[in-house]
């Protein structure tokens, strides 16, 4: 299964190292994914979806299966707000939220949920 990720500060990029068994691709404007994929994204500003993620989803949202959010709990209600917005806008599940670079336990939860969704 393909795992697309967006990382501004490196937190998400560090986190995906825990998810060794997945084919990973970094979100960029012109990247096309022609198969089902999961998205891990950070939140920018005060709860906005990063611009590169918006552009990426314009061309790839039809293959989006679910989304995962990375954030900082210091932002209160804006914690993982981008992932929540994407889940709502594209009618896909938000399968997990983690703080900063996450933990191995977060990765296990995500891998388990992805496996469950793949099985249907």
């Amino acid at each position: 299964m393909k795992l697309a990720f967006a990382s501004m500060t490196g937190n998400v990029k560090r986190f995906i190292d825990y998810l060794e068994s997945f084919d990973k691709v970094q979100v960029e404007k012109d990247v096309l994914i022609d198969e089902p994929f999961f998205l891990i994204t950070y939140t920018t500003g005060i709860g906005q979806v990063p611009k590169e993620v918006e552009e990426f989803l314009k061309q790839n949202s039809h293959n989006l299966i679910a989304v995962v959010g990375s954030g900082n709990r210091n932002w209160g209600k804006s914690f993982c707000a981008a992932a929540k917005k994407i889940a709502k806008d594209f009618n896909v599940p938000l399968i997990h939220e983690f703080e900063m670079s996450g933990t191995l336990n977060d990765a296990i939860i995500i891998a388990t949920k992805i496996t469950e969704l793949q099985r249907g």
Side-chain angles (χ1 to χ4, degrees), residues 6-116:
S7 184
M8 181 176 77
T9 62
N11 284 330
V12 174
K13 193 167 186 138
R14 280 187 293 279
F15 177 75
I16 64 159
D17 289 341
Y18 288 127
L19 299 167
E20 296 173 354
S21 63
F22 295 95
D23 183 18
K24 299 175 250 338
V25 61
Q26 187 155 0
V27 168
E28 295 175 354
K29 182 180 174 185
D30 295 326
V31 170
L32 294 175
I33 298 181
D34 60 355
E35 63 185 273
F37 71 94
F38 294 84
L39 173 66
I40 300 178
T41 187
Y42 66 96
T43 297
T44 192
I46 309 289
Q48 286 93 20
V49 175
K51 293 290 182 204
E52 73 268 22
V53 174
E54 286 179 345
E55 292 298 317
F56 171 80
L57 288 172
K58 284 179 184 177
Q59 297 183 25
N60 293 289
S61 64
H62 61 284
N63 284 320
L64 179 62
I65 300 289
V67 64
V68 174
S70 168
N72 185 323
R73 293 193 192 281
N74 290 338
W75 289 103
K77 290 182 181 181
S78 293
F79 175 69
C80 295
K84 293 171 188 171
K85 182 175 181 356
I86 291 167
K88 181 180 177 190
D89 290 352
F90 295 98
N91 195 31
V92 296
L94 171 63
I95 60 173
H96 193 65
E97 300 169 350
F98 62 91
E99 188 167 26
M100 307 298 277
S101 295
T103 65
L104 179 56
N105 189 54
D106 290 315
I108 291 167
I109 290 167
I110 291 166
T112 300
K113 289 183 178 182
I114 288 173
T115 301
E116 289 170 0

